[in-house]
Amino acid sequence: MSMSFGSAFGSSDPFGELLNRFFGMSPATSPPAVQRVPIGRLLSEPSQELINLAARRALEDGTPDLDTEHLLWAATQVEPSRGLLTQAGVDVEEFAAQIAKVLPRESVEVSAQPGLTPGAKRTLAAAYGLSQATGASYIGPEHILGALLEGEGTGAARLLQGAGLDVSRLRGLAERPARPARGEGAGAGQEGGAPSSLDEYGRDLTEEAKAGRLDPVVGRAE
């Protein structure tokens, strides 16, 4: 079964609408302080992919609610969370298979729009808090992974703690402060600064353009 929350909601902000429903918010009932935090819009594209994968897995397993184990399994499928697990000493493929064995399975007719368990709701809220604490302007898979690690009593936290990984290293990687923009702060862009996920997995097109390494653009005015 294939599902995308974007197509399911048909909205210009499907993830904002999705998370508003998950957290029980509506324009008529939400406190103003809650409405000012557009969690759905803060999700990076990899985080949107992570949640889509987790929800699709829940639907395929016939479970009406997406739980922390689904989020953790999806975190093994996308970057940078997959890479962070590897750096913490995890065999990601083996770990994903281990998680898959314990995912909740039910034989019920489920909606095309699954809900969230309380533990999963707390995880996404904690991921937002972690992103703010690290100075990031988005909620990335690394923040969701960090929140899963700290989720006391959840199935995902137990799986992470029993995986034989370096918990302190994973925590440090997930909570690494966002790197300042170029020219901001001491050591920005200098060797020894904490690398961001963008630096590690992205390309600096501006620098490539300055160096003349991009193909010419045809058909546009100068």
Side-chain angles (χ1 to χ4, degrees):
M1 180 184 300
S2 176
M3 186 213 60
S4 167
F5 283 137
S7 61
F9 281 87
S11 165
S12 59
D13 182 19
F15 282 89
E17 188 174 334
L18 170 71
L19 293 197
N20 283 346
R21 180 174 62 83
F22 277 165
F23 285 96
M25 306 176 204
S26 69
T29 61
S30 300
V34 173
Q35 286 181 294
R36 287 199 296 268
V37 182
I39 295 179
R41 294 181 185 178
L42 292 175
L43 289 169
S44 66
E45 287 188 12
S47 287
Q48 293 177 20
E49 181 184 0
L50 187 156
I51 293 176
N52 262 322
L53 287 170
R56 185 182 308 155
R57 185 69 194 235
L59 288 173
E60 289 174 349
D61 290 342
T63 51
D65 293 319
L66 186 158
D67 209 343
T68 58
E69 293 95 327
H70 297 109
L71 292 172
L72 180 57
W73 175 83
T76 67
Q77 308 299 305
V78 303
E79 297 291 357
S81 50
R82 181 182 173 91
L84 298 185
L85 286 166
T86 299
Q87 291 180 56
V90 174
D91 182 324
V92 179
E93 294 299 335
E94 182 178 329
F95 189 42
Q98 177 188 349
I99 298 168
K101 291 179 182 178
V102 299
L103 286 176
R105 289 176 173 82
E106 300 179 30
S107 299
V108 297
E109 190 70 25
V110 297
S111 166
Q113 300 170 6
L116 273 181
T117 64
K121 289 181 182 180
R122 289 193 297 270
T123 294
L124 292 180
Y128 169 70
L130 181 58
S131 74
Q132 294 294 289
T134 59
S137 59
Y138 59 89
I139 303 171
E142 64 273 27
H143 305 127
I144 295 176
L145 181 60
L148 288 168
L149 182 63
E150 302 300 332
E152 185 176 351
T154 66
R158 288 192 292 270
L159 284 165
L160 283 164
Q161 291 160 6
L165 53 79
D166 187 334
V167 173
S168 297
R169 178 165 174 75
L170 180 59
R171 183 179 290 113
L173 290 168
E175 297 178 359
R176 185 166 53 190
R179 189 174 182 177
R182 291 182 181 275
E184 294 182 7
Q190 297 178 3
E191 185 177 354
S196 68
S197 299
L198 184 61
D199 292 325
E200 189 170 356
Y201 298 105
R203 294 170 56 198
D204 190 332
L205 294 178
T206 302
E207 290 300 323
E208 291 188 19
K210 289 179 179 178
R213 293 196 294 268
L214 294 183
D215 293 334
V217 177
V218 178
R220 291 187 185 178
E222 184 177 354

